[in-house]
Amino acid sequence: MAALRRRAAAAAVLLPLLLVGSCGGGPSLENQGAVTAPPGDSKHLTIGTAGFTESDLLAQMYALLLKQAGYRTKILSVANRELYEPALESGQIDVVPEYAATFADWLNAKTNGAKAPPVGSPDLDATMKALHGLAAPRGLAVLDPGRAVDQNAFAVTTAYAKQHRLKTLSDLGASGLGVRLAAGDECVRRPYCEPGLKKTYGIDVTGVDPKGVGTTQSKKAVQDGKSQMMLTTTTDATLSDFGLVLLADDKRLQNADYIVPVVNRARAGSERVADALGALNSVLTTQDLASMNQQVDSWRRLPEDVARSYLESKGLLKRSTTRS
Protein backbone atom coordinates (compact mmCIF):
# COMPACT_ATOMS: atom_id res chain seq x y z
CA MET A 1 0.00 0.00 0.00
CA ALA A 2 1.37 3.36 -0.97
CA ALA A 3 0.81 5.13 2.34
CA LEU A 4 0.27 4.23 5.96
CA ARG A 5 -3.37 3.41 6.63
CA ARG A 6 -4.28 3.69 10.30
CA ARG A 7 -7.17 1.35 11.07
CA ALA A 8 -9.53 0.90 13.99
CA ALA A 9 -11.60 -2.19 14.78
CA ALA A 10 -14.41 -2.98 12.36
CA ALA A 11 -17.97 -2.17 13.35
CA ALA A 12 -20.32 -4.94 14.46
CA VAL A 13 -22.32 -4.53 11.25
CA LEU A 14 -19.52 -6.12 9.23
CA LEU A 15 -20.85 -9.66 9.44
CA PRO A 16 -24.18 -9.01 7.69
CA LEU A 17 -22.40 -6.72 5.26
CA LEU A 18 -19.96 -9.46 4.32
CA LEU A 19 -22.64 -12.12 4.02
CA VAL A 20 -24.89 -10.04 1.84
CA GLY A 21 -21.99 -8.49 -0.04
CA SER A 22 -20.76 -11.92 -1.12
CA CYS A 23 -23.90 -12.25 -3.23
CA GLY A 24 -23.06 -9.04 -5.10
CA GLY A 25 -25.78 -6.78 -6.46
CA GLY A 26 -23.63 -4.54 -8.65
CA PRO A 27 -22.82 -4.93 -12.33
CA SER A 28 -20.38 -7.75 -12.99
CA LEU A 29 -17.56 -7.50 -15.49
CA GLU A 30 -19.50 -9.97 -17.63
CA ASN A 31 -22.52 -7.65 -17.64
CA GLN A 32 -20.91 -4.35 -18.49
CA GLY A 33 -24.05 -3.06 -20.17
CA ALA A 34 -25.34 -2.27 -16.71
CA VAL A 35 -22.84 0.54 -16.30
CA THR A 36 -24.27 2.41 -19.28
CA ALA A 37 -27.51 3.08 -17.38
CA PRO A 38 -28.11 6.71 -16.34
CA PRO A 39 -26.38 7.68 -13.09
CA GLY A 40 -28.66 7.29 -10.09
CA ASP A 41 -29.59 9.74 -7.37
CA SER A 42 -30.78 7.83 -4.31
CA LYS A 43 -32.07 10.00 -1.49
CA HIS A 44 -30.58 7.69 1.16
CA LEU A 45 -26.81 7.36 0.95
CA THR A 46 -24.41 5.23 2.97
CA ILE A 47 -20.88 6.60 3.32
CA GLY A 48 -18.14 4.07 4.02
CA THR A 49 -15.09 4.61 6.17
CA ALA A 50 -12.10 2.32 6.50
CA GLY A 51 -12.04 2.93 10.25
CA PHE A 52 -8.83 4.95 10.68
CA THR A 53 -8.81 8.59 11.72
CA GLU A 54 -8.38 10.22 8.32
CA SER A 55 -10.98 8.02 6.64
CA ASP A 56 -13.41 8.74 9.49
CA LEU A 57 -12.89 12.49 9.08
CA LEU A 58 -13.44 12.38 5.32
CA ALA A 59 -16.56 10.24 5.70
CA GLN A 60 -17.97 12.68 8.26
CA MET A 61 -17.33 15.62 5.92
CA TYR A 62 -18.95 13.76 3.03
CA ALA A 63 -22.00 12.96 5.18
CA LEU A 64 -22.41 16.55 6.35
CA LEU A 65 -22.09 18.00 2.84
CA LEU A 66 -24.52 15.47 1.38
CA LYS A 67 -27.00 16.06 4.19
CA GLN A 68 -26.88 19.78 3.48
CA ALA A 69 -27.56 18.97 -0.19
CA GLY A 70 -30.77 17.19 0.79
CA TYR A 71 -29.71 13.57 1.26
CA ARG A 72 -30.31 11.31 4.23
CA THR A 73 -26.98 9.80 5.19
CA LYS A 74 -25.46 7.21 7.46
CA ILE A 75 -21.86 6.13 8.00
CA LEU A 76 -20.70 2.53 7.95
CA SER A 77 -17.26 1.52 9.25
CA VAL A 78 -15.63 -1.29 7.27
CA ALA A 79 -12.06 -2.03 8.25
CA ASN A 80 -10.52 -3.08 4.95
CA ARG A 81 -10.77 -2.60 1.22
CA GLU A 82 -11.39 -6.31 0.62
CA LEU A 83 -14.79 -5.82 2.28
CA TYR A 84 -15.84 -2.29 1.43
CA GLU A 85 -14.99 -2.29 -2.29
CA PRO A 86 -17.38 -5.20 -3.10
CA ALA A 87 -20.00 -3.50 -0.92
CA LEU A 88 -19.48 -0.34 -2.96
CA GLU A 89 -20.01 -2.28 -6.19
CA SER A 90 -23.19 -3.92 -4.84
CA GLY A 91 -24.69 -0.65 -3.59
CA GLN A 92 -24.54 -1.47 0.11
CA ILE A 93 -22.12 1.44 0.36
CA ASP A 94 -22.71 4.42 -1.92
CA VAL A 95 -19.72 6.67 -1.30
CA VAL A 96 -16.23 6.09 0.08
CA PRO A 97 -13.09 8.27 0.36
CA GLU A 98 -10.18 6.69 -1.47
CA TYR A 99 -6.57 7.31 -2.51
CA ALA A 100 -6.08 7.55 -6.27
CA ALA A 101 -2.89 5.57 -6.91
CA THR A 102 -3.49 2.98 -4.19
CA PHE A 103 -7.05 2.32 -5.32
CA ALA A 104 -6.01 2.19 -8.99
CA ASP A 105 -3.39 -0.45 -8.20
CA TRP A 106 -5.83 -2.39 -6.04
CA LEU A 107 -8.49 -2.50 -8.78
CA ASN A 108 -5.81 -3.35 -11.32
CA ALA A 109 -4.67 -6.34 -9.29
CA LYS A 110 -8.27 -7.43 -8.76
CA THR A 111 -9.00 -7.16 -12.49
CA ASN A 112 -5.72 -8.31 -14.03
CA GLY A 113 -4.09 -10.38 -11.31
CA ALA A 114 -1.66 -9.74 -8.49
CA LYS A 115 1.33 -9.75 -10.86
CA ALA A 116 -0.09 -7.08 -13.18
CA PRO A 117 2.25 -4.09 -13.62
CA PRO A 118 1.20 -1.16 -11.38
CA VAL A 119 -0.89 1.58 -12.96
CA GLY A 120 -0.59 4.08 -10.12
CA SER A 121 2.27 6.53 -10.57
CA PRO A 122 3.46 9.99 -9.48
CA ASP A 123 1.59 11.38 -12.52
CA LEU A 124 -1.90 12.28 -11.29
CA ASP A 125 -3.43 12.56 -14.77
CA ALA A 126 -2.15 9.14 -15.84
CA THR A 127 -3.21 7.62 -12.53
CA MET A 128 -6.72 9.06 -12.78
CA LYS A 129 -7.08 7.87 -16.38
CA ALA A 130 -6.19 4.33 -15.34
CA LEU A 131 -8.46 4.52 -12.30
CA HIS A 132 -11.47 5.69 -14.33
CA GLY A 133 -10.94 2.85 -16.79
CA LEU A 134 -10.77 0.23 -14.05
CA ALA A 135 -13.67 1.59 -11.99
CA ALA A 136 -16.27 2.09 -14.72
CA PRO A 137 -16.77 -1.61 -15.65
CA ARG A 138 -17.52 -2.26 -11.98
CA GLY A 139 -20.28 0.34 -11.83
CA LEU A 140 -18.13 2.81 -9.94
CA ALA A 141 -17.55 6.48 -10.68
CA VAL A 142 -14.44 8.28 -9.46
CA LEU A 143 -15.00 11.98 -8.75
CA ASP A 144 -12.42 14.71 -9.21
CA PRO A 145 -9.45 14.83 -6.84
CA GLY A 146 -8.73 17.94 -4.84
CA ARG A 147 -5.42 19.24 -3.49
CA ALA A 148 -5.12 16.96 -0.47
CA VAL A 149 -2.75 14.03 -0.82
CA ASP A 150 -1.71 11.34 1.64
CA GLN A 151 1.59 10.04 0.34
CA ASN A 152 4.60 8.37 1.83
CA ALA A 153 7.02 10.95 3.16
CA PHE A 154 10.37 11.09 4.94
CA ALA A 155 11.10 13.02 8.10
CA VAL A 156 14.22 14.09 9.98
CA THR A 157 14.63 16.12 13.15
CA THR A 158 14.31 19.86 12.80
CA ALA A 159 17.80 20.22 14.29
CA TYR A 160 19.29 17.78 11.75
CA ALA A 161 17.61 19.61 8.86
CA LYS A 162 18.87 22.97 10.13
CA GLN A 163 22.40 21.71 10.79
CA HIS A 164 22.77 20.31 7.26
CA ARG A 165 20.57 22.86 5.47
CA LEU A 166 18.08 20.28 4.29
CA LYS A 167 14.68 21.14 2.86
CA THR A 168 14.29 18.46 0.20
CA LEU A 169 15.32 14.88 -0.39
CA SER A 170 17.56 16.20 -3.16
CA ASP A 171 19.38 18.28 -0.54
CA LEU A 172 19.97 15.14 1.49
CA GLY A 173 21.28 13.24 -1.52
CA ALA A 174 23.63 16.07 -2.45
CA SER A 175 24.94 16.27 1.12
CA GLY A 176 26.53 12.81 0.91
CA LEU A 177 25.37 12.05 4.44
CA GLY A 178 24.82 8.43 5.36
CA VAL A 179 21.43 7.87 6.98
CA ARG A 180 19.90 5.00 8.85
CA LEU A 181 16.20 4.80 7.99
CA ALA A 182 13.43 3.84 10.41
CA ALA A 183 10.67 2.20 8.37
CA GLY A 184 8.80 -1.03 7.76
CA ASP A 185 10.87 -4.11 6.97
CA GLU A 186 9.49 -4.08 3.40
CA CYS A 187 11.34 -0.80 2.78
CA VAL A 188 14.44 -2.62 1.57
CA ARG A 189 12.61 -3.81 -1.56
CA ARG A 190 9.82 -1.28 -2.18
CA PRO A 191 10.63 1.11 -5.06
CA TYR A 192 9.30 4.14 -3.17
CA CYS A 193 11.54 3.43 -0.16
CA GLU A 194 15.25 2.46 0.08
CA PRO A 195 15.75 1.56 -3.64
CA GLY A 196 13.97 4.74 -4.75
CA LEU A 197 15.85 6.96 -2.32
CA LYS A 198 19.13 5.60 -3.69
CA LYS A 199 18.17 5.63 -7.39
CA THR A 200 16.17 8.86 -7.57
CA TYR A 201 17.98 10.99 -5.00
CA GLY A 202 21.38 9.35 -4.54
CA ILE A 203 20.79 9.11 -0.79
CA ASP A 204 23.25 6.89 1.08
CA VAL A 205 20.90 4.65 3.08
CA THR A 206 23.24 2.76 5.39
CA GLY A 207 20.55 0.50 6.81
CA VAL A 208 16.86 0.10 7.60
CA ASP A 209 15.68 -0.06 11.20
CA PRO A 210 12.43 -2.08 10.98
CA LYS A 211 10.32 -0.11 13.45
CA GLY A 212 7.29 0.43 11.21
CA VAL A 213 5.80 3.22 9.11
CA GLY A 214 4.97 6.35 11.06
CA THR A 215 5.07 4.54 14.40
CA THR A 216 5.99 6.08 17.73
CA GLN A 217 8.98 3.73 17.84
CA SER A 218 10.26 5.09 14.53
CA LYS A 219 9.79 8.67 15.65
CA LYS A 220 11.63 8.07 18.91
CA ALA A 221 14.48 6.36 17.05
CA VAL A 222 15.00 9.47 14.93
CA GLN A 223 14.42 11.81 17.86
CA ASP A 224 17.09 9.96 19.86
CA GLY A 225 19.55 9.84 16.94
CA LYS A 226 19.52 6.06 16.57
CA SER A 227 18.19 6.64 13.03
CA GLN A 228 18.50 9.83 11.02
CA MET A 229 15.31 9.59 8.96
CA MET A 230 11.95 7.82 9.08
CA LEU A 231 9.21 6.81 6.68
CA THR A 232 5.79 8.28 7.47
CA THR A 233 3.01 10.05 5.52
CA THR A 234 2.27 13.61 4.45
CA THR A 235 -0.69 13.87 6.83
CA ASP A 236 1.11 12.55 9.92
CA ALA A 237 -0.41 14.48 12.80
CA THR A 238 2.30 14.07 15.45
CA LEU A 239 5.63 14.92 13.79
CA SER A 240 5.97 18.21 15.64
CA ASP A 241 5.50 16.42 18.97
CA PHE A 242 8.81 14.65 18.29
CA GLY A 243 10.62 17.64 16.79
CA LEU A 244 10.45 16.18 13.28
CA VAL A 245 9.98 17.82 9.89
CA LEU A 246 9.30 16.42 6.41
CA LEU A 247 11.79 16.70 3.57
CA ALA A 248 10.05 17.58 0.30
CA ASP A 249 9.78 14.87 -2.37
CA ASP A 250 10.95 17.34 -5.02
CA LYS A 251 11.55 14.71 -7.73
CA ARG A 252 8.16 13.04 -7.20
CA LEU A 253 9.26 9.61 -6.12
CA GLN A 254 5.92 8.87 -4.44
CA ASN A 255 2.70 7.90 -6.19
CA ALA A 256 -0.19 10.33 -6.65
CA ASP A 257 -2.30 9.27 -3.68
CA TYR A 258 -4.66 12.24 -3.92
CA ILE A 259 -7.93 11.85 -2.07
CA VAL A 260 -10.86 11.06 -4.35
CA PRO A 261 -14.48 10.20 -3.59
CA VAL A 262 -15.59 6.96 -5.25
CA VAL A 263 -19.33 6.36 -5.68
CA ASN A 264 -21.69 3.63 -6.80
CA ARG A 265 -22.79 5.12 -10.12
CA ALA A 266 -26.28 3.62 -10.12
CA ARG A 267 -27.10 5.10 -6.70
CA ALA A 268 -24.87 8.16 -6.28
CA GLY A 269 -23.62 9.09 -9.72
CA SER A 270 -25.62 12.31 -10.05
CA GLU A 271 -24.19 15.77 -10.62
CA ARG A 272 -25.77 16.85 -7.34
CA VAL A 273 -23.63 14.37 -5.41
CA ALA A 274 -20.54 15.35 -7.39
CA ASP A 275 -21.18 19.05 -6.73
CA ALA A 276 -21.76 18.52 -3.00
CA LEU A 277 -18.56 16.53 -2.54
CA GLY A 278 -16.60 18.64 -5.01
CA ALA A 279 -16.99 21.64 -2.74
CA LEU A 280 -14.11 20.25 -0.70
CA ASN A 281 -11.71 20.40 -3.65
CA SER A 282 -11.23 24.15 -3.51
CA VAL A 283 -10.34 24.25 0.19
CA LEU A 284 -9.09 20.94 1.61
CA THR A 285 -5.29 20.72 1.71
CA THR A 286 -2.81 18.15 2.93
CA GLN A 287 -1.98 20.45 5.84
CA ASP A 288 -5.68 20.72 6.74
CA LEU A 289 -5.94 16.94 6.95
CA ALA A 290 -2.84 16.71 9.11
CA SER A 291 -4.29 19.31 11.46
CA MET A 292 -7.62 17.49 11.70
CA ASN A 293 -5.86 14.16 12.28
CA GLN A 294 -3.99 15.79 15.14
CA GLN A 295 -7.19 17.12 16.71
CA VAL A 296 -8.60 13.59 16.78
CA ASP A 297 -5.46 11.60 17.58
CA SER A 298 -3.74 13.96 20.01
CA TRP A 299 -6.53 16.18 21.34
CA ARG A 300 -9.14 13.39 21.49
CA ARG A 301 -11.84 15.34 19.71
CA LEU A 302 -14.60 13.41 17.93
CA PRO A 303 -14.18 13.12 14.12
CA GLU A 304 -17.72 14.43 13.55
CA ASP A 305 -17.04 17.56 15.63
CA VAL A 306 -13.71 18.21 13.91
CA ALA A 307 -15.26 17.70 10.46
CA ARG A 308 -18.17 20.00 11.24
CA SER A 309 -15.95 22.74 12.64
CA TYR A 310 -13.70 22.59 9.60
CA LEU A 311 -16.54 22.81 7.08
CA GLU A 312 -18.11 25.69 8.99
CA SER A 313 -14.79 27.55 9.15
CA LYS A 314 -14.46 27.27 5.37
CA GLY A 315 -18.02 28.44 4.73
CA LEU A 316 -19.04 25.09 3.25
CA LEU A 317 -21.60 24.27 5.94
CA LYS A 318 -24.30 26.53 7.28
CA ARG A 319 -24.17 26.65 11.04
CA SER A 320 -27.95 26.58 11.33
CA THR A 321 -28.18 23.23 9.52
CA THR A 322 -25.38 21.29 11.16
CA ARG A 323 -27.27 20.09 14.22
CA SER A 324 -30.20 17.73 13.89
Side-chain angles (χ1 to χ4, degrees):
M1 181 174 289
L4 173 67
R5 298 288 175 256
R6 299 162 292 276
R7 288 187 171 89
V13 293
L14 284 184
L15 182 58
L17 176 70
L18 176 59
L19 292 175
V20 177
S22 64
C23 299
S28 68
L29 293 181
E30 293 77 23
N31 186 25
Q32 294 186 15
V35 303
T36 64
D41 193 26
S42 174
K43 305 305 178 187
H44 302 260
L45 298 177
T46 298
I47 295 93
T49 166
F52 57 90
T53 297
E54 188 168 288
S55 188
D56 289 343
L57 284 163
L58 290 163
Q60 291 288 350
M61 286 191 283
Y62 290 2
L64 289 165
L65 290 170
L66 289 168
K67 181 178 179 182
Q68 181 171 252
Y71 297 92
R72 293 183 63 182
T73 63
K74 66 177 180 180
I75 293 176
L76 185 64
S77 182
V78 186
N80 61 66
R81 193 174 280 111
E82 287 77 8
L83 289 176
Y84 71 68
E85 191 278 331
L88 187 61
E89 287 189 35
S90 70
Q92 293 172 286
I93 293 175
D94 302 305
V95 184
V96 70
E98 261 295 354
Y99 300 86
T102 295
F103 195 49
D105 282 337
W106 195 87
L107 287 181
N108 185 44
K110 183 176 180 179
T111 302
N112 299 312
K115 295 183 179 180
V119 295
S121 75
D123 186 324
L124 178 59
D125 290 339
T127 296
M128 289 298 296
K129 181 178 180 180
L131 180 52
H132 283 300
L134 289 161
R138 297 184 176 277
L140 306 179
V142 182
L143 306 186
D144 291 339
R147 292 184 287 166
V149 58
D150 186 351
Q151 294 170 304
N152 292 302
F154 296 91
V156 298
T157 65
T158 302
Y160 186 85
K162 183 177 181 180
Q163 177 185 357
H164 299 289
R165 299 181 180 179
L166 307 176
K167 292 185 178 180
T168 68
L169 290 171
S170 287
D171 292 339
L172 181 57
S175 73
L177 293 166
V179 295
R180 184 167 177 82
L181 178 63
D185 54 9
E186 72 280 2
C187 178
V188 296
R189 60 182 181 275
R190 293 288 174 87
Y192 65 80
C193 204
E194 181 182 354
L197 290 174
K198 291 180 175 179
K199 181 179 179 180
T200 302
Y201 288 106
I203 294 173
D204 180 14
V205 179
T206 60
V208 173
D209 190 3
K211 293 187 179 298
V213 183
T215 62
T216 298
Q217 291 81 0
S218 286
K219 290 170 185 172
K220 286 184 176 179
V222 177
Q223 184 183 46
D224 296 341
K226 296 177 181 177
S227 296
Q228 288 71 51
M229 187 165 69
M230 65 166 291
L231 172 63
T232 184
T233 67
T234 52
T235 59
D236 191 319
T238 63
L239 289 176
S240 60
D241 296 343
F242 295 85
L244 304 179
V245 63
L246 295 179
L247 296 181
D249 179 22
D250 53 309
K251 293 184 179 179
R252 299 202 314 169
L253 171 63
Q254 305 303 325
N255 281 348
D257 259 330
Y258 285 76
I259 292 162
V260 291
V262 182
V263 304
N264 179 290
R265 187 174 185 273
R267 289 183 49 81
S270 69
E271 288 188 13
R272 195 153 67 104
V273 168
D275 289 344
L277 298 180
L280 271 177
N281 288 357
S282 61
V283 298
L284 185 64
T285 66
T286 304
Q287 291 73 23
D288 291 342
L289 269 179
S291 175
M292 286 189 280
N293 285 336
Q294 182 180 37
Q295 291 176 57
V296 175
D297 291 338
S298 298
W299 305 354
R300 302 306 181 197
R301 293 188 64 194
L302 294 175
E304 181 179 2
D305 293 339
V306 174
R308 178 185 289 115
S309 295
Y310 176 78
L311 293 177
E312 289 177 347
S313 72
K314 297 298 182 179
L316 298 182
L317 201 66
K318 299 176 183 177
R319 293 178 184 273
S320 60
T321 63
T322 57
R323 269 68 172 182
S324 56

